[in-house]
């Protein structure tokens, strides 16, 4: 095959598994040159559009400076845990050692992971770390200037997103794309956010909601905490707000504004959990009730332009999942843009897709001891794992993705 263009078209159609391109790179130097080219990698990601879920990051309580990764793929695509596990104790924070703080996993999106450094009480944000597990790139970002608000005093949530996705482009090729980091917190009657851009290497202005509102006893909704899981719908990020009442906080990245969305009375009490999702590409959420029933709710716009919440189907997980004799559900977690729900049982962990109702038992034995399960929360990690091509990991033919990219 002498025609490079024809060979490229064939190689583009390889399955987007971690082992595909590294294996191809060992056929000959010519093939290696093609698949290691940045332009080819961009086309490969664009062709497959949606990156696969390659594993799960597990978020722990703040006292543990770790976020173990577990791959959900089978060999030869299985990624060793140590390859994607960040050890953050005593890490160099851009020239200064963080002495008394704790690095906490916050979220992952578009192939990147974000951590924040907090005090021992679990409050504040003194540093932000953005990490690309595939390329190994790390970027340290200080917290935003006070801007009439001290970020070191409050419970702060952090999210990361690819600028290409923010502009509506395919987010599979985000390893070399600029990114944004969002910090958000709530305190009493006010919610605040600030956005960092890697393109300008700076934080934007402080964004607030509630500063100028006149509260009345009949319409007083104190904010206690911003939920830890966000979703991205279009160019807006959403979080649950928890306090005396539950609501949803919206950050519009285009207008740089915050808004609060009310939720149905069903979401206010008497459930086992609330999780945001993007069912049908719209802002949605699920309510987990007794006996692990999942009730779906979707926000729709009627002909008059009025937004309304519409209830959807109810999913009875205990009837759908193939539980073994003696196996019972312990906890339901998840949702998000992937609309994946994680169901933890006494034996293992299921991954359940809300729209297709398809499921997979990704761990046939639970990855953590029983006494630690209540404090472990899974976050799916999606990536093409093809940002670099390196030597074979061992003599069994399992390939390792090398550190081959840079982050602006």
């Amino acid at each position: 095959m002498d025609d490079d263009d024809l060979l490229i078209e064939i190689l583009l159609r390889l399955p987007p598994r971690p082992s595909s391109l590294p294996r191809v790179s060992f056929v000959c130097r010519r093939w290696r040159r093609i698949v290691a080219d940045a332009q080819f990698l961009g086309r490969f990601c664009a062709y497959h559009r949606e990156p696969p879920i390659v594993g799960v990051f597990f978020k722990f309580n703040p006292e543990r400076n770790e976020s173990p990764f577990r791959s959900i793929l089978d060999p030869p695509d299985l990624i060793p845990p140590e390859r994607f596990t960040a050890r953050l104790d005593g890490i160099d924070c851009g020239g200064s050692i963080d002495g008394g703080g704790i690095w906490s996993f916050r979220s992952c999106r578009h192939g990147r992971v974000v951590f924040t450094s907090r005090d021992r009480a679990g409050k504040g944000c003194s540093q932000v770390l953005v990490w690309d597990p595939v390329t190994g790139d790390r970027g340290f970002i200080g917290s935003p200037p006070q801007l009439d608000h001290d970020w070191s005093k409050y419970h702060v949530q952090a999210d990361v997103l690819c600028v290409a996705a923010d502009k509506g482009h395919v987010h599979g090729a985000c390893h070399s794309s600029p990114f944004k980091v969002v910090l958000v917190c709530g305190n009493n009657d006010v919610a605040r956010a600030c956005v960092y851009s890697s393109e300008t290497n700076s934080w934007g202005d402080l964004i607030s909601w509630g500063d100028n509102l006149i509260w009345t006893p009949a319409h007083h909704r104190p904010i206690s905490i911003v939920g830890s899981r966000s979703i991205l719908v279009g160019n807006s990020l959403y979080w649950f707000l928890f306090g005396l009442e539950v609501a949803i906080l919206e950050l519009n990245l285009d207008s740089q504004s915050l808004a609060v969305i009310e939720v149905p009375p069903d979401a206010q009490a008497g459930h086992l959990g609330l999780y945001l999702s993007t069912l049908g590409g719209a802002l949605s959420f699920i309510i987990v009730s007794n006996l692990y029933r999942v009730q779906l709710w979707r926000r729709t716009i009627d002909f008059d332009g009025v937004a309304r919440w519409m209830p959807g189907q109810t999913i009875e997980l205990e009837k759908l999942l193939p539980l073994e004799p003696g196996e019972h559900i312990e906890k339901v977690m998840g949702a998000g843009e992937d609309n994946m729900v994680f169901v933890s049982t006494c034996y293992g962990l299921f991954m359940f897709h809300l729209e297709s109702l398809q499921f997979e038992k990704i761990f046939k034995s639970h990855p953590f001891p029983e006494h630690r399960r209540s404090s472990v929360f899974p976050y799916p990690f999606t990536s093409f794992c093809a940002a670099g091509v390196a030597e074979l990991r061992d003599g069994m033919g399992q390939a390792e993705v090398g550190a081959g990219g840079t982050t602006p």
Side-chain angles (χ1 to χ4, degrees), residues 344-363:
S344 175
T345 74
C346 56
Y347 291 166
L349 194 66
F350 283 91
M351 190 167 64
F352 183 89
H353 196 278
L354 291 171
E355 289 188 297
S356 67
L357 302 185
Q358 295 182 337
F359 54 83
E360 178 185 2
K361 197 167 192 177
I362 56 177
F363 300 112

Side-chain angles (χ1 to χ4, degrees), residues 56 105 305 360 396:
V56 178
F105 172 94
E360 178 185 2
M396 299 301 294

Side-chain angles (χ1 to χ4, degrees), residues 230-300:
S230 71
I231 60 167
L232 179 66
V233 183
N235 287 333
S236 292
L237 279 167
Y238 298 88
W239 301 262
F240 267 118
L241 288 175
F242 297 102
L244 293 179
E245 296 181 7
V246 178
I248 294 174
L249 180 67
E250 177 187 18
L251 170 62
N252 188 306
L253 294 165
D254 288 334
S255 63
Q256 296 283 289
S257 61
L258 286 171
V260 170
I261 300 170
E262 295 186 354
V263 298
D266 304 58
Q268 297 297 339
H271 54 75
L272 301 178
L274 294 170
Y275 300 99
L276 292 167
S277 65
T278 59
L279 295 168
L283 173 62
S284 310
F285 70 89
I286 65 172
I287 301 176
V288 182
S289 59
N290 292 330
L291 301 178
Y292 300 104
R293 293 188 178 96
V294 174
Q295 171 72 57
L296 310 180
W297 287 82
R298 182 180 176 186
R299 196 164 185 251
T300 61

